[in-house]
Structures are given as structure tokens and as C-alpha cells.
Amino acid sequence: KAGVTQTPRYLIKTRGQQVTLSCSPISGHRSVSWYQQTPGQGLQFLFEYFSETQRNKGNFPGRFSGRQFSNSRSEMNVSTLELGDSALYLCASSLGQDNKDTQYFGPGTRLTVL
Amino acid sequence: GQQLNQSPQSMFIQEGEDVSMNCTSSSIFNTWLWYKQEPGEGPVLLIALYKAGELTSNGRLTAQFGITRKDSFLNISASIPSDVGIYFCAGDMDSNYQLIWGAGTKLIIKP
């Protein structure tokens, strides 16, 4: 079974621009969670989608948004990029029917904002 | 955002040594998870703990869910070179799919 895929793997943007990252979950998984990881920090939860609905949201500004499509693929968007948005963005998929379902992570998209 | 207190921040050990790391919080958790992340990869689940006092092993790895539900530890016995990586604890407070993460323990093995 194919794992979680994320595209692109690397991205360089400048301040003020916007960016869209994509995540394809494992087949059959309906939950997709997004995390931001910065050096020396743990993962910070952005949001979680299940069946095209945002089910949970972390403490990030409104510049960070996401959506999920009917095939469970998810995108996250960051508008008006700031230097501090440079990070590894990880998505994780799970069955989503029980909070004990294992989350499987993709390799991440490394975003650099100049 | 809220984080778990994970220690040590890094460990520099000899191959064959045992390793111990832990996570603590002032809050009660319903679930404790231990993940490992290698360069260029996302975290991979090693052990999941769901009950206070639970002790679970996965090969040379052993983890425990603290009896107070506010801490957890991970032990690795007889470390080998492929154990190198960053180990994260993660916890679920509200059973709402929102994991809270420690800052990680970087494990380095001396050649």
C-alpha cells in the first residue's frame, strides 16, 4: 500500500507570497492532519480534516487554511508568507474513526521563505 | 503552543549502551505515543500507550505510561547505529485527534 505523499518536497517563496501544499493520504484513510515543524521544536498542530470537514484546529493565525477533497486528498494554504513560516510541513493520515487510529506521516514539504 | 517537556534534548552514546528518555507534563494525558524521525522523513510510530501504568515493548524498545498520567518514558536497550534519529513523545489530552508533541530527543551514537 502506498504511503502518505506530499508535494512539493521543497519550496522557496518570498515574503508576502502565498503557497499551497498538497497531501495524499493512504488509500482508505479519511483523516488528514497537518503539522508545522521548526528546528529544535516539536510538531505544532495546525488542523485536522475528516470527510471534507475541519474537525480540529490548532492555534495558528487565519493565514493558515486548509481543505479536504472528496477523495480525502488535502491541501493547506498559507497566505502573506512571513519569514517565520519557514518550516517543515508534515501531514499525517489515519482512518479517523477512533482517536487511537495510528497517524502515518508523509515526508513533509520544506518551505523556505526569503 | 502547549508542549510536553521532553528530556534530554540530545544524547551522545556508545553503541551497545542503553538509552532512557522521558516526557512530562503538568496536564493529564489519555494517550502517550513515541515516534522516531530520521532525516528527510516524517515521524514513524514506535509505541502507543493507552492506559495508566501500561508497559509496552517493541523489540529493544520499552515505554511506559506513567501512573499519574502526566509522564511517560522510553528505553532503548543495547543501542545500534540504526537507532540514530530524533525521538518524539506525543500525547492526546482530549481524545480529539489533536496531538501535543515534545521537542524531541536527538540520539547520536559514537562510532
Side-chain angles (χ1 to χ4, degrees):
Chain A
K1 195 152 63 164
V4 179
T5 57
Q6 291 187 245
T7 57
R9 290 293 307 275
Y10 302 91
L11 205 48
I12 299 176
K13 291 285 188 178
T14 56
R15 274 183 302 174
Q17 286 188 309
Q18 68 141 21
V19 68
T20 299
L21 312 181
S22 180
C23 173
S24 293
I26 291 171
S27 177
H29 285 190
R30 292 165 64 190
S31 169
V32 174
S33 298
W34 287 91
Y35 295 86
Q36 181 193 66
Q37 185 179 23
T38 48
Q41 299 287 317
L43 282 65
Q44 300 293 326
F45 175 77
L46 283 153
F47 27 66
E48 184 245 354
Y49 286 86
F50 179 79
S51 291
E52 303 178 67
T53 301
Q54 188 180 84
R55 191 160 58 173
N56 285 289
K57 189 178 189 311
N59 297 323
F60 277 79
R63 298 185 298 107
F64 292 82
S65 63
R67 59 178 176 167
Q68 187 179 35
F69 302 94
S70 58
N71 62 357
S72 294
R73 189 176 72 82
S74 178
E75 289 181 346
M76 72 163 270
N77 184 276
V78 188
S79 62
T80 320
L81 284 166
E82 300 176 0
L83 295 178
D85 296 334
S86 293
L88 180 68
Y89 290 88
L90 292 159
C91 84
S93 78
S94 71
L95 291 170
Q97 292 162 341
D98 185 315
N99 70 293
K100 294 180 182 177
D101 291 332
T102 299
Q103 291 193 17
Y104 295 87
F105 282 82
T109 294
R110 184 161 298 282
L111 172 65
T112 302
V113 182
L114 302 175
Chain B
Q2 185 172 5
Q3 272 196 327
L4 299 171
N5 301 311
Q6 186 171 351
S7 65
Q9 195 172 26
S10 60
M11 302 186 75
F12 199 50
I13 62 164
Q14 296 273 14
E15 183 178 348
E17 281 186 26
D18 295 343
V19 170
S20 185
M21 60 191 78
N22 69 82
C23 273
T24 62
S25 173
S26 56
S27 303
I28 289 174
F29 282 77
N30 295 321
T31 301
W32 285 94
L33 306 170
W34 285 92
Y35 282 84
K36 179 187 178 188
Q37 186 176 28
E38 297 185 15
E41 305 286 333
V44 173
L45 181 65
L46 299 172
I47 293 179
L49 302 160
Y50 299 112
K51 277 172 46 174
E54 182 180 353
L55 182 73
T56 297
S57 293
N58 178 6
R60 293 178 296 106
L61 279 62
T62 302
Q64 186 160 28
F65 193 141
I67 198 74
T68 64
R69 295 170 64 192
K70 294 182 180 181
D71 63 343
S72 177
F73 72 74
L74 173 71
N75 289 340
I76 304 173
S77 62
S79 57
I80 60 177
S82 62
D83 291 334
V84 163
I86 303 177
Y87 291 79
F88 290 97
C89 63
D92 177 358
M93 290 173 61
D94 303 317
S95 301
N96 65 354
Y97 300 90
Q98 183 172 332
L99 294 179
I100 298 168
W101 293 73
T105 295
K106 188 171 185 177
L107 182 62
I108 302 160
I109 297 182
K110 298 176 198 175

